[in-house]
Amino acid sequence: MSNLASSVPPSTATLTGYFTAVADGSSKTFTCESGTSNPFAAITWLHYNVIVTAGTGTPTNIFGSYYGHVTTQTLTITPTRDDDADVYSCSARNAVSSTPANSQQKSLNLAYAPVVKILPRTVTETQPGLLQCVVSSKPSATITWYQINDGRTFLLEGTGNKSLDYGIRAVSRDDAGTYMCNANNGIGGDNFNSVQLVVQFKPDVTVFAHNATEKLSTTLRCGPLGVPDSYTYVSWDHTWPGSSDVLRSFPGSPVLLLSDLRYEHSGIYTCRVDNGIDFSRNPDAGRGQVFFVVKSRPFIATTHQTV
């Protein structure tokens, strides 16, 4: 038998390696091995049928069929979560190949830790509210909602979902604060994100005043408290107790100055404020009142008596 090797193309290309792995920042190595060939085969790596790298690889002498050679080459990658399901293959050919020998295509099957995203949320008092937590993970994660006060208050838990919503039937300003969504699928421990829930409400209004003496001056101060805290001072109205008739109206302002006081300046002063929100748990929101008295000397009203 002759010891001279015949010219033979590689008939196979075999792809091996652990394509099921965890995307944890570590590198993964795959190996492509050609069938027996002479001369040496060149290995080409493909990612979605696009050439990644090509070369002669490392030839290994095999004494057997055709006294040919087996060529091996490795490809090392550091996959991320975004590479899950990516397809790799390799091919082998030499100078006498009419077509390359192609390996079977193999897909990455990557597990990865959760990434937690909470959609920003602004809600209005007395209206329904919804906090949405969206989790990207493989395998699926256990998702838990907490409210962060002085400690951590458990609210809701769900398993096997890509998202978990926490709903509030009728939002109160007391619901405002920090909420945390936590996800765990056994890879990398707990992963979480948090959001600040903003509860908007029509302003509560407090009017501050001190009774004063006639002929002097005084100020009435309008103190709104609402969210958002950007206020439009609409008006001041002066009425008398038990009557809805407006005696005087003044332009809206944080401070109302009353000068040269007289007894008839006494009465109820109402400050009206707006912040663009129409809802509140307080039915009197948007206006505040104070009963203001001007101190004066007693006087005798003139009467007419018919005899």
Side-chain angles (χ1 to χ4, degrees):
M1 179 183 291
S2 173
N3 289 330
L4 296 176
S6 302
S7 294
V8 178
S11 60
T12 60
T14 304
L15 180 58
T16 59
Y18 293 102
F19 283 80
T20 297
V22 176
D24 56 4
S26 61
S27 61
K28 318 297 177 188
T29 299
F30 311 123
T31 301
C32 184
E33 182 179 283
S34 73
T36 302
S37 69
N38 188 55
F40 299 122
I43 301 292
T44 299
W45 285 96
L46 301 103
H47 178 217
Y48 286 114
N49 293 321
V50 176
I51 294 176
V52 177
T53 183
T56 57
T58 303
T60 303
N61 289 318
I62 301 294
F63 297 98
S65 301
Y66 312 111
Y67 293 92
H69 310 277
V70 172
T71 302
T72 61
Q73 190 182 59
T74 59
L75 176 69
T76 300
I77 63 172
T78 303
T80 68
R81 60 193 300 117
D82 297 328
D83 299 321
D84 184 40
D86 280 11
V87 177
Y88 285 86
S89 62
C90 67
S91 65
R93 71 182 303 166
N94 64 6
V96 295
S97 299
S98 58
T99 59
N102 296 313
S103 73
Q104 181 183 6
Q105 289 186 330
K106 291 191 176 182
S107 300
L108 294 178
N109 180 17
L110 300 175
Y112 44 86
V115 170
V116 180
K117 180 181 179 181
I118 302 177
L119 304 183
R121 194 66 178 168
T122 298
V123 295
T124 304
E125 191 168 51
T126 74
Q127 303 302 296
L130 188 68
L131 290 172
Q132 296 176 289
C133 180
V134 179
V135 176
S136 171
S137 70
K138 187 180 177 182
S140 58
T142 296
I143 308 173
T144 310
W145 272 107
Y146 296 96
Q147 184 175 14
I148 308 301
N149 297 315
D150 295 333
R152 191 167 71 169
T153 303
F154 170 81
L155 298 174
L156 184 66
E157 182 175 276
T159 303
N161 301 315
K162 293 183 178 180
S163 64
L164 183 65
D165 296 342
Y166 175 67
I168 304 173
R169 185 181 300 274
V171 175
S172 165
R173 64 193 69 180
D174 299 329
D175 294 317
T178 303
Y179 290 76
M180 182 179 77
C181 181
N182 183 85
N184 191 320
N185 69 345
I187 299 174
D190 288 339
N191 292 269
F192 62 89
N193 207 337
S194 60
V195 66
Q196 193 75 18
L197 180 65
V198 177
V199 179
Q200 297 182 326
F201 55 92
K202 195 170 186 175
D204 296 338
V205 181
T206 303
V207 179
F208 304 92
H210 296 285
N211 294 335
T213 304
E214 62 180 356
K215 297 185 179 181
L216 299 181
S217 299
T218 192
T219 55
L220 281 64
R221 299 185 180 275
C222 188
L225 177 62
V227 177
D229 60 357
S230 177
Y231 304 117
T232 298
Y233 293 87
V234 179
S235 66
W236 286 92
D237 292 330
H238 176 203
T239 58
W240 192 251
S243 173
S244 60
D245 294 337
V246 177
L247 302 175
R248 293 184 299 169
S249 288
F250 305 90
S253 64
V255 178
L256 176 64
L257 173 64
L258 299 176
S259 302
D260 191 22
L261 292 172
R262 299 185 301 277
Y263 178 75
E264 52 265 33
H265 289 156
S266 300
I268 296 175
Y269 286 80
T270 302
C271 177
R272 302 183 187 277
V273 183
D274 183 55
N275 66 347
I277 305 301
D278 295 328
F279 298 95
S280 172
R281 67 185 183 188
N282 178 8
D284 294 323
R287 62 189 180 94
Q289 295 180 331
V290 69
F291 181 52
F292 173 67
V293 176
V294 177
K295 301 174 184 178
S296 63
R297 295 179 180 180
F299 67 93
I300 300 175
T302 303
T303 61
H304 298 278
Q305 184 177 5
T306 303
V307 178

